């Protein structure tokens, strides 16, 4: 199993550009999430999905869109990049329900918006 | 306002000694707590968890203690090893929780000196 994969690893955008961060998992997990990590802030939830076709907002959703057409894939779209979106982005997946242990995280995408 | 706080940004410990990482939370709805470990350029990996019905959970060298009345938890690593050097994140989950969402603290960087 590859686990959770993310592409690209690094990306530099100019203000106003759009892009999609890719995330895929091969563990047949129902739950998938996107987090961003900023210095001293820990990881903050952007959007999450409890299954194909179902998504919802997390703590910091503004400026980001998601969709979940398959169980495996959960792309994150930046419609018009802003310098405040400079961050490291992590995708995560897990089985449904709590108390079953961990979420599995991808290696991250480091995004810089100039 | 951060609901999960790790007040020590860094901690330095000698190899073989005990490492104690602390975490405080404010949300009374949190009832499941996790610790994640993160190496540079990698995603966080699950370390250990504890449910609010317990006050202690142990896994090898790692023990998590939960004090519900103080809204405080701690991670003990005994004995500490150089390979334990990483950033440790405390995370919490509330009930109900539709998407297995986690709220993270800001992280503590642990350095274990040989």
């Amino acid at each position: 199993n590859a686990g959770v994969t993310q592409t690209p690893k690094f990306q530099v955008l100019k203000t106003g550009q759009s892009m999609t961060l890719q995330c895929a998992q091969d563990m047949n997990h129902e739950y998938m999430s996107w987090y961003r990590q900023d210095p001293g802030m820990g990881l903050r939830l952007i959007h999450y999905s409890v299954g194909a076709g179902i998504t919802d907002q997390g703590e910091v959703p503004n400026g980001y869109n998601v969709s979940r057409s398959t169980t495996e894939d959960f792309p994150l779209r930046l419609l018009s990049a802003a310098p405040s979106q400079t961050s490291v982005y992590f995708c995560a997946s897990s089985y449904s329900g709590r108390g079953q242990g961990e979420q599995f995280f991808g290696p991250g995408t480091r995004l810089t918006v100039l | 306002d951060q609901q999960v706080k790790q007040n020590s940004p860094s901690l330095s410990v000698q190899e073989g000694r005990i490492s104690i990482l602390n975490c405080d939370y404010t949300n009374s709805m949190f009832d499941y707590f996790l610790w994640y470990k993160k190496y540079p350029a990698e995603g966080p990996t699950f370390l250990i968890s504890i449910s609010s019905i317990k006050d202690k959970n142990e896994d090898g060298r790692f023990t998590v203690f939960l004090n519900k009345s103080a809204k405080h938890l701690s991670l003990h690593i005994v004995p500490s090893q150089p390979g334990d050097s990483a950033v440790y994140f405390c995370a919490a989950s509330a009930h109900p929780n539709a998407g297995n969402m986690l709220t993270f603290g800001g992280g503590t960087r642990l350095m274990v000196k040989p």
Side-chain angles (χ1 to χ4, degrees):
Chain A
N1 285 351
V4 180
T5 58
Q6 292 183 239
T7 56
K9 289 190 185 306
F10 302 95
Q11 184 70 49
V12 179
L13 292 177
K14 294 181 179 178
T15 297
Q17 287 185 315
S18 63
M19 80 159 295
T20 299
L21 280 63
Q22 301 292 343
C23 173
Q25 53 92 8
D26 61 359
M27 296 173 282
N28 202 32
H29 286 166
E30 293 184 21
Y31 287 24
M32 296 187 75
S33 309
W34 276 102
Y35 292 85
R36 59 178 287 174
Q37 183 194 3
D38 301 296
M41 300 290 291
L43 284 80
R44 292 181 293 168
L45 183 67
I46 304 171
H47 285 285
Y48 68 95
S49 170
V50 299
I54 306 170
T55 64
D56 206 344
Q57 296 181 350
E59 180 185 356
V60 288
N62 292 341
Y64 307 95
N65 277 355
V66 292
S67 60
R68 183 105 178 264
S69 56
T70 66
T71 299
E72 294 78 20
D73 301 298
F74 191 42
L76 178 72
R77 281 184 289 276
L78 283 72
L79 300 178
S80 178
S84 61
Q85 294 178 305
T86 293
S87 187
V88 182
Y89 291 84
F90 291 100
C91 179
S93 73
S94 66
Y95 295 106
S96 61
R98 299 183 312 141
Q100 298 194 26
E102 67 274 32
Q103 294 197 16
F104 294 83
F105 284 84
T109 294
R110 184 175 294 274
L111 175 67
T112 302
V113 182
L114 303 175
Chain B
D1 187 30
Q2 283 191 296
Q3 298 183 67
V4 179
K5 290 186 179 180
Q6 295 176 252
N7 291 319
S8 298
S10 65
L11 174 68
S12 182
V13 171
Q14 205 68 34
E15 180 179 5
R17 306 295 289 267
I18 184 172
S19 296
I20 300 176
L21 293 89
N22 294 305
C23 178
D24 297 295
Y25 62 95
T26 57
N27 188 342
S28 300
M29 298 300 291
F30 289 147
D31 65 350
Y32 187 63
F33 304 89
L34 307 92
W35 285 93
Y36 282 81
K37 176 179 178 179
K38 185 184 180 304
Y39 292 118
E42 295 183 8
T45 55
F46 171 75
L47 193 56
I48 192 169
S49 63
I50 187 167
S51 166
S52 61
I53 63 173
K54 295 184 176 181
D55 55 17
K56 176 183 174 181
N57 190 26
E58 192 171 354
D59 184 1
R61 296 186 297 114
F62 303 92
T63 303
V64 56
F65 296 92
L66 175 62
N67 182 334
K68 291 185 290 294
S69 61
K71 292 190 176 67
H72 177 84
L73 64 156
S74 61
L75 174 68
H76 293 210
I77 307 174
V78 183
S80 301
Q81 300 174 353
D84 296 329
S85 297
V87 177
Y88 290 78
F89 290 100
C90 169
S93 172
H95 179 78
N97 192 328
N100 199 16
M101 295 179 286
L102 297 176
T103 301
F104 283 84
T108 296
R109 182 178 302 277
L110 173 66
M111 292 164 284
V112 180
K113 298 179 180 179

